[in-house]
Amino acid sequence: MNAEPLRLAAVSAHERILDDAPQDLRAELLDMTGQAFRRINRFIELAVYGALRCGREAGGVGDDTALYLASEAPMLADCVRALRGVIAEARPPTPFEFMNISGNMAGFYIAQHLRMRGPQLAVHRNSASLECALELLQLQSARHRRALLGYVEEGVWPLAEQRLRLGLPATAELSESSHWFYLDADCAAPLGLIDPIERCSTLEQAQRALADAPAQWRVAIGHRCSRADIDALRAVRRDAQALDADATYSTATTAARLIGFLLLDSAPGLLQVNHSGDGGYYLLRVRRA
């Protein structure tokens, strides 16, 4: 793949607002794979579950498919557990805690069950990691014709402690999700096309991009944009959608919005602006084929 538009052949989404106990995914994974998963963490469960569902939606993936897995805070529950053990209990992490914190463990299980032999990359970044993964997919050096791209957000319990870590109100809803995209450069009838990712170095450039978007397009603001960013961007497009983080916290807004546009919307295109985390802004454009 290169700077040509990425062709979306299939997508899948698993989303859930969290309550006091995690949803049991292992029974469903057993039905899907015929294998009992015992020593994997929640993040790996979500990643494998979502990737297998997307593979089914695609009718199978080629064995040369590349795997890109993006997340803002991967394996967080195991990281919390390991750090608590080291700091509060003065004990080292268990072998499985240490192994499951590795960024590529989820990809190992996905490749094993989908029989994929392509390259694998885990993109773990505190801001706009999905946009970053798409940017990497569109490099001239990315020569693979097919890629399975996922974004996973893991739930961490107890929820009250997680809200404190995130600085959220006690009433804020937390979520977990596993969103996946199968990209195939040879797909004859794609669900949509993702244009090359663009970067803006200033808020003014992002405002101009939003103002220049066709009136019929959906426009949106990513979850990493500040309140000041949201106000400035809505000054040029009042219809720009944005998430109220105090009501529902999610890092998967971009992935969910993209799939919602592809499956549920009739607009000809979607433009989202999101803060890149390094002082600039990402522009993500998706349009009908």
Side-chain angles (χ1 to χ4, degrees):
M1 292 184 179
N2 50 38
E4 295 296 316
L6 300 175
R7 303 175 75 84
L8 284 157
V11 298
S12 73
H14 168 75
E15 301 174 86
R16 180 171 175 264
I17 299 297
L18 302 182
D19 50 31
D20 291 338
Q23 177 188 7
D24 183 8
L25 294 178
R26 297 203 177 187
E28 293 189 58
L29 285 172
L30 177 61
D31 288 341
M32 296 169 80
T33 66
Q35 176 180 335
F37 291 82
R38 293 187 178 88
R39 299 205 178 260
I40 62 174
N41 59 28
R42 185 68 177 177
F43 182 87
I44 297 173
E45 286 179 6
L46 286 162
V48 174
Y49 179 73
L52 293 181
R53 288 184 63 194
C54 190
R56 287 186 176 182
E57 288 292 330
V61 302
D63 63 359
D64 61 342
T65 298
L67 176 62
Y68 285 66
L69 176 54
S71 181
E72 291 199 3
M75 287 74 73
L76 185 57
D78 269 8
C79 287
V80 169
R81 191 177 300 112
L83 286 172
R84 181 174 288 142
V86 171
I87 296 170
E89 302 168 14
R91 65 166 179 82
T94 68
F96 283 102
E97 281 177 348
F98 184 79
M99 184 171 64
N100 284 338
I101 289 172
S102 170
N104 286 329
M105 283 303 296
F108 166 78
Y109 286 102
I110 292 168
Q112 180 184 57
H113 286 284
L114 289 176
R115 295 181 172 85
M116 295 163 56
R117 298 183 293 103
Q120 177 192 154
L121 181 64
V123 182
H124 299 159
R125 193 172 186 271
N126 197 40
S127 186
S129 57
L130 183 64
E131 289 93 334
C132 184
L134 288 166
E135 187 177 37
L136 292 170
L137 267 167
Q138 292 171 321
L139 292 175
Q140 292 289 343
S141 57
R143 299 183 181 276
H144 23 273
R145 303 289 294 171
R146 282 160 288 280
L148 188 61
L149 167 63
Y151 184 90
V152 176
E153 180 180 30
E154 171 192 16
V156 181
W157 284 263
L159 299 183
E161 290 184 8
Q162 180 66 352
R163 290 187 184 98
L164 286 174
R165 290 187 197 100
L166 297 170
L168 296 174
T171 55
E173 290 182 329
L174 299 177
S175 65
E176 69 176 8
S177 59
S178 186
H179 295 87
W180 287 83
F181 309 86
Y182 184 51
L183 304 154
D184 185 350
D186 302 316
C187 180
L191 296 172
L193 304 173
I194 301 178
D195 287 330
I197 293 286
E198 292 183 44
R199 283 180 180 251
C200 297
S201 57
T202 66
L203 179 59
E204 290 73 21
Q205 290 176 340
Q207 285 178 301
R208 284 197 294 273
L210 214 59
D212 292 341
Q216 301 88 349
W217 277 40
R218 296 282 182 257
V219 290
I221 302 169
H223 74 283
R224 284 301 179 189
C225 287
S226 67
R227 172 52 59 185
D229 289 337
I230 293 172
D231 291 342
L233 292 166
R234 279 182 167 163
V236 296
R237 279 293 294 260
R238 290 184 177 275
D239 58 335
Q241 302 170 348
L243 180 72
D244 181 0
D246 287 341
T248 301
Y249 178 85
S250 174
T251 67
T253 308
T254 299
R257 190 171 277 146
L258 177 51
I259 291 180
F261 166 74
L262 292 168
L263 300 183
L264 303 174
D265 205 327
S266 60
L270 167 70
L271 169 62
Q272 178 181 273
V273 178
N274 200 11
H275 201 282
S276 63
D278 54 10
Y281 298 84
Y282 274 117
L283 301 179
L284 171 63
R285 291 184 178 89
V286 189
R287 52 191 169 87
R288 303 291 173 194

